[in-house]
Amino acid sequence: MKKIITWSMTLLLAISMVSLMGCSSQTEDPGTPPADVINPDASEGALTDGSTDENSKNENSGSAYEGDVLENAVSVRIGQDGEKDWAVSMYNNDAAITMLDYLSDSELLFPTYTYEEKQGFVAQDVRGNYTRNDETTITDVKAGELYLFSDGQLRLYFKDMAGADITATPVGYYTDAGGLTEAVQEAYESNKGDTWGVEVYFQIRKNIE
């Protein structure tokens, strides 16, 4: 009888340990969101995907764009539940055009994994081969400006930052930055505890062909 009781207790202990291991594995970092989280429409060539064929991506690069600034090239909603459409104009430079070529006109859920309150920006690394021909040094950064850094990090500044002294390629800007600071901050607060570790989600759509 003692042997049976001992064996039963051992079995229960083993089952409990397995159960605890299963629970702990569920709390581990789930990693990068899958494609259907990043891009609900499953469009090819997502900005964060980088899987677009280079030949097709660059085939018409720049041919459809005219002027120094591409007005309202992209529409953006801040946060997963954002309702306001923010207009973003892009510069007609090689880096910005490469980004636009990665986008389709389908809505893309774009996650940012870096939120810097003191430095006033949100950021995400984007894949792709980007030229540094238009890289410059900027002393003062304005809210709503978008910059691509040499390591492939794309930043949106949601605050005016005097004395930022950054070296990067300007790729675009929000045409009306009124209320942008508050919108990004609110989206960040509402997204705390996100399963995928995303700081702020943006919903983006390309408006030009």
Side-chain angles (χ1 to χ4, degrees), residues 14-24:
I15 293 173
S16 298
M17 290 179 66
V18 171
S19 298
L20 287 172
M21 289 174 64
C23 291
S24 63

Side-chain angles (χ1 to χ4, degrees), residues 30-124:
T32 304
D36 59 346
V37 171
I38 295 176
N39 186 0
D41 293 331
S43 305
E44 294 183 359
L47 185 61
T48 54
D49 177 16
S51 60
T52 302
D53 179 76
E54 288 295 321
N55 293 329
S56 62
K57 180 173 71 67
N58 293 321
E59 182 179 357
N60 296 315
S61 182
S63 62
Y65 309 131
E66 297 180 357
D68 295 331
V69 176
L70 310 173
E71 300 287 348
N72 302 331
V74 176
S75 294
V76 177
R77 292 189 176 190
I78 300 172
Q80 294 193 76
D81 300 320
E83 297 181 353
K84 177 179 178 179
D85 288 316
W86 302 77
V88 176
S89 294
M90 304 289 283
Y91 294 112
N92 195 351
N93 59 40
D94 290 339
I97 291 171
T98 298
M99 288 185 181
L100 288 171
D101 284 344
Y102 271 115
L103 296 175
S104 72
D105 57 2
S106 297
E107 185 175 89
L108 171 72
L109 188 62
F110 184 81
T112 59
Y113 294 93
T114 301
Y115 175 89
E116 294 288 349
E117 176 69 31
K118 290 184 178 179
Q119 299 180 59
F121 68 81
V122 289
Q124 167 64 346

